[in-house]
Amino acid sequence: MKDQPFPCPDTARRRQAAHPRPPDRPLVQVTPPLDSAVRLDPVQLRRFEQQRSRLQAELLEQGQTWLTSLVLQPSDTSTVRTGDVVGRIQALATLELQVQAEVWATQQWQQAIHFASQAAMLGNLRQPTLSTWYRAKTYWQSALAHLRQIPAESKRRQQVLRKYEEYRHNLDVARYRSELLQSGFLRTIAAQAQLSPQTRITVCRVSGECRHYGGNAIVVSPASLIKIPVAIAVLQQLQQGTVSLGTPIRVTPGNFTEDPAEIQVGKTYPLQVLLSQMLSHSSNIATNQLIDYLGWDRINQSLQQAGYRFTRVNFKLMGQSWMPANPGRQANTLTSDELSRMMQQIYQGDSPGHQVVRQALANQQDRELGIRALAANPGLWVGEKTGRTAATLGTTLALKLQGNLYIVTIVDQTGKGERELRQGIQTIATYLEQGAAL
């Protein structure tokens, strides 16, 4: 059953989302660190050293007075109490540790800035090559490794955390740009399969790199493919312990719509059943109820916290004509890149929740796209989620080839071309089966 998109009153937002930035543009601009960040800030270290010198002097003076009192006036040591000396010794030891931690932190900070500067210089070259991006990745990884060596108790900690996020993001950019330079085969495959120019393709190893063809272009109203992000939000809540697979959820009448599954309003189901039916039978009622149960804000905060910048769940789903209550105000959005990352997350996880989701994908009832495309070699297909409306046709599926697990995501924003989409899946599978490395 097709899921019909809701009319979105925010037409300006839809137009903006429908024309995202070019797919080969990096997520952020790699910039070299500021000179001020390269310079060492010695103020805190100098303060520690001054405190240490003062304590050492006081300890030496009071220690001598204390020893003299013990020799000359053994019955009266009130001039300097033993506790004062011991307390200063402990304070000096603590301060010594702080000084050592700051010295180590400063050394690691310098090394991190050094490697980041090298990486930024490579990323800002006019025409960086694949080798250039590989070297930049290595430098960003080294910079991050040095930041991780800075002790948690360091006074630089907040500064380190901010820099760590910046460097991690720049590493993602370098990785993405290197992957783009190796993704030319997808352009060829798209042309051979006669896929429309609006098709977005992402191919990933479950445990490794990805290849992209328009993969970071935003897909507006992506039909039932949005059920994967809902599942990711559920998994996050399961991991946090806010819900369990057995949590009972009553399906409210307001979430009724035409549905290919057997979920009925007015009945109560364990969360596991709703999660499974949402994916295997593409149940719109189950999806809408999970959206209501978790809430829009919690779902989208979960996605944002997981690093998904463009995927947002803003609309419920409906069948041919029946609209549920409180459907939402904006269009659902995702990218084939982020959808593929979610599938990687699903197939990498080992929790009971991940296992439920994988089993539901393996029980996929829509057999017209990936399953049919690989019918000649049924051992390749592992699991799948499809989506289709008049405006969108797509699938994200897991394949097992040469002992490796892959994710293939293809989304056509014209809503047409089942035959072409199946041809694209077949050609990608053949390419991977021939031992082509990602």
Side-chain angles (χ1 to χ4, degrees), residues 279-280 343 347 358-386 395-401 404-406 408 425 429 433:
L279 298 173
S280 62
M343 290 287 279
Y347 281 92
R358 287 197 294 268
Q359 187 59 52
L361 295 174
N363 292 335
Q364 174 61 233
Q365 298 300 299
D366 183 350
R367 313 185 73 82
E368 293 302 312
L369 297 177
I371 296 177
R372 184 175 172 186
L374 302 173
N377 194 343
L380 300 183
W381 186 91
V382 175
E384 181 176 15
K385 183 71 199 82
T386 62
T395 187
T396 182
L397 64 150
L399 310 175
K400 193 167 187 178
L401 296 160
N404 295 307
L405 200 58
Y406 295 90
V408 176
I425 294 172
E433 199 168 24

Side-chain angles (χ1 to χ4, degrees), residues 189 380 401-402 406 426-437:
I189 287 174
L380 300 183
L401 296 160
Q402 304 292 332
Y406 295 90
Q426 291 171 355
T427 308
I428 290 171
T430 300
Y431 177 87
L432 296 174
E433 199 168 24
Q434 291 172 349

Side-chain angles (χ1 to χ4, degrees), residues 160-292:
V160 168
L161 292 175
R162 290 193 297 270
K163 193 62 71 175
Y164 190 89
E165 287 304 309
E166 176 188 335
Y167 289 179
R168 189 169 62 87
H169 202 54
N170 288 343
L171 172 61
D172 289 341
V173 171
R175 181 181 293 116
Y176 192 85
R177 295 306 296 268
S178 68
E179 290 174 354
L180 280 178
L181 290 176
Q182 300 173 83
S183 300
F185 73 96
L186 289 178
R187 186 178 300 276
T188 302
I189 287 174
Q192 290 174 347
Q194 298 182 333
L195 292 165
S196 82
Q198 297 300 311
T199 301
R200 313 304 180 197
I201 306 175
T202 306
V203 180
C204 304
R205 281 183 185 266
V206 163
S207 59
E209 292 188 342
C210 298
R211 300 293 178 260
H212 318 267
Y213 176 71
N216 68 342
I218 295 175
V219 176
V220 181
S221 297
S224 283
L225 294 174
I226 203 64
K227 294 168 183 176
I228 292 292
V230 175
I232 290 294
V234 172
L235 287 174
Q236 184 162 332
Q237 298 306 311
L238 287 169
Q239 290 176 315
Q240 292 175 357
T242 57
V243 298
S244 70
L245 290 172
T247 297
I249 300 176
R250 181 177 179 272
V251 179
T252 59
N255 283 316
F256 174 78
T257 185
E258 300 94 327
D259 202 310
E262 297 180 356
I263 300 298
Q264 299 179 25
V265 299
K267 291 190 174 183
T268 299
Y269 299 89
L271 182 146
Q272 177 175 343
V273 172
L274 296 180
L275 180 61
S276 296
Q277 291 289 305
M278 175 179 70
L279 298 173
S280 62
H281 289 69
S282 203
S283 171
N284 295 330
I285 296 177
T287 306
N288 295 340
Q289 190 59 57
L290 287 173
I291 290 173
D292 270 356

Side-chain angles (χ1 to χ4, degrees), residues 14-266:
R14 282 180 65 98
R15 284 196 297 270
Q16 182 182 8
H19 300 284
R21 60 173 176 250
D24 60 345
R25 181 177 173 182
L27 298 179
V28 296
Q29 181 65 38
V30 179
T31 55
L34 299 175
D35 289 341
S36 59
V38 179
R39 298 194 202 101
L40 219 56
D41 179 10
V43 175
Q44 187 63 44
L45 183 58
R46 188 183 303 117
R47 186 179 299 119
F48 278 146
E49 290 174 339
Q50 289 172 347
Q51 291 175 355
R52 180 175 62 180
S53 298
R54 185 171 63 252
L55 275 172
Q56 287 173 334
E58 292 175 354
L59 184 60
L60 179 61
E61 179 183 351
Q62 294 187 2
Q64 290 174 342
T65 304
W66 180 52
L67 289 174
T68 301
S69 298
L70 286 176
V71 173
L72 300 180
Q73 303 177 33
S75 61
D76 182 9
T77 59
S78 59
T79 306
V80 179
R81 296 178 182 177
T82 303
D84 292 340
V85 177
V86 173
R88 291 188 181 279
I89 291 174
Q90 291 174 340
L92 182 59
T94 299
L95 194 59
E96 189 67 37
L97 290 176
Q98 290 178 315
V99 171
Q100 292 176 6
E102 288 308 309
V103 169
W104 174 256
T106 298
Q107 293 171 346
Q108 298 305 309
W109 177 262
Q110 283 183 307
Q111 288 298 311
I113 295 297
H114 168 74
F115 283 114
S117 299
Q118 297 297 312
M121 289 173 57
L122 292 172
N124 284 327
L125 292 176
R126 180 171 296 180
Q127 291 183 326
T129 64
L130 179 59
S131 175
T132 301
W133 285 117
Y134 272 131
R135 289 169 58 202
K137 284 196 300 181
T138 300
Y139 285 141
W140 286 124
Q141 289 167 342
S142 297
L144 288 166
H146 282 288
L147 289 181
R148 285 194 293 269
Q149 292 296 314
I150 296 178
E153 61 273 14
S154 169
K155 298 299 182 181
R156 291 184 180 271
R157 191 60 182 171
Q158 292 304 315
Q159 189 180 14
V160 168
L161 292 175
R162 290 193 297 270
K163 193 62 71 175
Y164 190 89
E165 287 304 309
E166 176 188 335
Y167 289 179
R168 189 169 62 87
H169 202 54
N170 288 343
L171 172 61
D172 289 341
V173 171
R175 181 181 293 116
Y176 192 85
R177 295 306 296 268
S178 68
E179 290 174 354
L180 280 178
L181 290 176
Q182 300 173 83
S183 300
F185 73 96
L186 289 178
R187 186 178 300 276
T188 302
I189 287 174
Q192 290 174 347
Q194 298 182 333
L195 292 165
S196 82
Q198 297 300 311
T199 301
R200 313 304 180 197
I201 306 175
T202 306
V203 180
C204 304
R205 281 183 185 266
V206 163
S207 59
E209 292 188 342
C210 298
R211 300 293 178 260
H212 318 267
Y213 176 71
N216 68 342
I218 295 175
V219 176
V220 181
S221 297
S224 283
L225 294 174
I226 203 64
K227 294 168 183 176
I228 292 292
V230 175
I232 290 294
V234 172
L235 287 174
Q236 184 162 332
Q237 298 306 311
L238 287 169
Q239 290 176 315
Q240 292 175 357
T242 57
V243 298
S244 70
L245 290 172
T247 297
I249 300 176
R250 181 177 179 272
V251 179
T252 59
N255 283 316
F256 174 78
T257 185
E258 300 94 327
D259 202 310
E262 297 180 356
I263 300 298
Q264 299 179 25
V265 299

